[in-house]
Amino acid sequence: MSTRLPSPPVHLVTRAAELAAALDAARAAGRRVGLVPTMGALHAGHLSLVERARAECDLVAVTVFVNPLQFGERADLEGYPRTLEADLAMCASAGVDVVFAPPVEEMYPAWPAPVATTVRVGGVAEPWEGASRPGHFDGVATIVTKLFALAGRCRAYFGEKDYQQVAVVRRLAGDLCLPVTVVGCPTVREPDGLALSSRNARLGTAERRAATVLHRALDAGRAALEDGERRPTAVADRMTAVVAAEPLARLDYAAAVDPDDLSVPLVLEDGEPVRLLVAARVGEVRLIDNDAAVPVAPRRAAMAGAAAGGATTVEG
């Protein structure tokens, strides 16, 4: 019988200076640093970021910090799950080297007084989540800037489930000349299509079943593109109709956008990438999802073209 070896211990730090010193020492020894910023309540989606970081870096640091600046509603902040002990166990099993889990006062010394210095990203941060959650991306940009300043030169891994957040962080790092390579990683899903999220734990049984409506809405948007629809508003309407048919869901937005700046094009061109976005409340839990799509000529039109050229086709 084989004996399973215990996971190596994780170096837990709670002070900013200690994190910076640990990562500086790693780089001085010639090691590549990977950073995985999280708010805790870790799940398989987070572990996929760690796995990618482990494959590309020599030292992996995970941050666990529920950032109060990115919550608009106090109840949402208070209700966000905090599971540090379980998070540390998961990090140890995944081979994480350092976990940074600071108290709020370490990141915002005057808390709960208003934070005097914040970071705001324009443009890509303004529509969609930016419009629905005013101030949210200011909070994200502020904490990410602080974490990047502490981490120094590194690769930082973010899940594309929060696609707009990845775009905002990329703009932030580029505009401020931060020595950080931002790596977007694919969304991890449940077998029924629901994107993994720490918020899913707050769904009741009926709400959990209903929550798949977001993924079904994305499927409807993709189907519209496959049918030859090239009007962004019409694609969004298809997605909206799916959410409207679910009694437990209340749509926030559905859109087909440019994947770089998240603007809505006048028309969706064949061969040009599109990002489908959807946000909705399922019960009292707000969920978001997105997926990539590329409009291509409809199969039926392609078959007609082949027939016109003398080819024999069979239509089922």
Side-chain angles (χ1 to χ4, degrees), residues 226-228 270 296-313 315:
E226 292 172 354
D227 290 343
D270 285 352
V296 295
R299 178 174 177 271
R300 196 175 288 271
M303 292 172 64
T312 301
T313 62
E315 187 169 357

Side-chain angles (χ1 to χ4, degrees), residues 39-42 64-68 71 74-87 104 198:
M39 292 206 299
L42 302 185
V64 175
F65 180 66
V66 180
N67 177 30
F71 288 84
R74 184 178 181 85
D76 200 16
L77 171 62
E78 293 176 347
Y80 198 87
R82 291 161 173 82
T83 57
L84 181 58
E85 186 173 343
D87 294 343
V104 174
S198 300

Side-chain angles (χ1 to χ4, degrees), residues 27 32 37 45 52 99 106 112 128 148 176-177 180 199 215 243 263-264 270 294 308 310:
R27 275 187 297 272
R32 294 166 298 181
R52 176 81 175 268
V99 171
E106 182 69 11
W128 316 122
F148 284 2
L176 298 184
C177 301
V180 178
R199 295 175 183 270
H215 188 247
V243 178
S263 64
V264 178
D270 285 352
V294 179

Side-chain angles (χ1 to χ4, degrees), residues 131-223:
S132 294
R133 303 174 68 186
H136 168 71
F137 281 128
D138 294 351
V140 170
T142 300
I143 192 60
V144 168
T145 300
K146 292 169 77 74
L147 292 174
F148 284 2
L150 293 172
R153 186 173 299 278
C154 66
R155 294 173 66 83
Y157 297 83
F158 293 83
E160 289 187 342
K161 194 272 291 181
D162 298 291
Y163 186 81
Q164 188 173 6
Q165 175 175 274
V166 177
V168 168
V169 172
R170 282 203 176 107
R171 176 64 56 83
L172 164 74
D175 286 356
L176 298 184
C177 301
L178 300 176
V180 178
T181 300
V182 177
V183 182
C185 300
T187 301
V188 178
R189 299 183 179 278
E190 298 282 6
D192 61 5
L194 179 65
L196 294 188
S197 170
S198 300
R199 295 175 183 270
N200 293 351
R202 296 166 55 189
L203 296 168
T205 302
E207 294 164 342
R208 171 61 185 82
R209 287 195 297 267
T212 61
V213 72
L214 278 78
H215 188 247
R216 288 185 275 120
L218 296 174
D219 286 343
R222 191 178 300 103

Side-chain angles (χ1 to χ4, degrees), residues 97 179 301 305:
D97 300 288

